[in-house]
Each structure stands twice: as C-alpha cells, then as structure tokens.
Amino acid sequence: MDRLTSDLQTLQRFRSLHRDIAARVAGIGFMWRGSISERWLTCGRADCECAKDPRARHGPYVYWTTKEKGRSVARLLHPPESDILLEWVKNRKEVDGILREMHKLSHKALKVVLRVRLRQMRKPA
Ligand SMILES: [Zn+2]
C-alpha cells in the first residue's frame, strides 16, 4: 500500500472517530459553568462542639464556585437548585472532556491532511 492510500485510510478513520465523539455532545443536557463542592463549617459560637472538634462541624453546605473577571466567586446553594446544578456542572465537564478529545484528534489529523493536500498540489495536471 502506498503512502497516499494509507493516509487516506487514516483520515477516514479519524473522520469517523471525530463523528462518534461529536455525537456524544448531542445527547448531553443543560450545562453550567464553575464547580460544586461541599463544605463543613464552624458556626462561630464558642460553646459549640464545632469550635474544637472538626468532625462536629455543620454541614454539608453545598457551594457553587466560579471565576468572574479573575476573582473567585462562591454562592451557597439549597435543594433543589443544588441537585440541578450538580447535574448541569457534571454535563459541562463531560462536554469539556469531549472537546479536548476533538482537539487532540484534530491535531493528529492536521499532519495527515497536510501530507495529502501537498501531494495533490504537486500532482502534474
Ligand atoms: Zn457550631
């Protein structure tokens, strides 16, 4: 098999893989930026158990955090909003991962696409 045939086969494989990865995005629901975390807090009362025992801290409190203009922003969430946004943040992270895969694949594809195009340009008419 010559180089061109092998490159064209590789490209076909990359295109099919890219389509499969892109199709996963279509099935994903609503998305939300930032991240969700649980915090266990002290209440500030000196006579409360939480003042001296970290295991007696209150919580969990669910916080949503993100960066806005370089500053970290946090907001306390309550059910059902906390459950909804937990799901939506999970969806967004999944899409981020899928986009990273698509970028990686595109990088690999560029080398092959360039080789094929350059060979076609050199071909005598
Ligand atoms: Zn307390």
Side-chain angles (χ1 to χ4, degrees):
M1 193 197 312
D2 65 14
R3 187 65 181 264
L4 182 61
T5 310
S6 132
D7 275 350
L8 289 173
Q9 279 181 2
T10 302
L11 262 186
Q12 209 165 20
R13 213 177 65 242
F14 283 173
R15 284 204 179 98
S16 151
L17 199 53
H18 192 262
R19 263 197 307 275
D20 291 347
I21 297 170
R24 279 158 48 203
V25 176
I28 286 174
F30 292 126
M31 297 183 289
W32 206 258
R33 70 195 175 106
S35 54
I36 306 276
S37 59
E38 286 184 345
R39 295 182 194 175
W40 299 80
L41 306 172
T42 53
C43 63
R45 275 174 38 211
D47 63 337
C48 183
E49 198 58 24
C50 74
K52 35 189 195 306
D53 185 1
R55 288 168 306 178
R57 285 182 181 182
H58 309 276
Y61 293 98
V62 179
Y63 278 86
W64 169 77
T65 53
T66 192
K67 286 241 190 240
E68 268 170 24
K69 291 169 189 158
R71 271 184 52 236
S72 200
V73 179
R75 187 160 68 83
L76 177 63
L77 302 176
H78 301 282
E81 192 185 26
S82 50
D83 304 316
I84 295 165
L85 293 187
L86 187 64
E87 179 72 30
W88 290 9
V89 166
K90 209 184 97 220
N91 290 343
R92 205 233 40 255
K93 286 183 175 173
E94 199 176 329
V95 170
D96 287 348
I98 292 170
L99 291 184
R100 273 197 299 276
E101 279 182 58
M102 289 167 84
H103 278 135
K104 260 166 73 181
L105 188 57
S106 298
H107 270 268
K108 283 163 75 179
L110 179 62
K111 282 182 214 153
V112 186
V113 170
L114 275 178
R115 227 171 19 232
V116 169
R117 289 279 169 86
L118 290 173
R119 194 174 287 119
Q120 285 168 343
M121 283 164 68
R122 278 198 302 265
K123 225 190 247 171

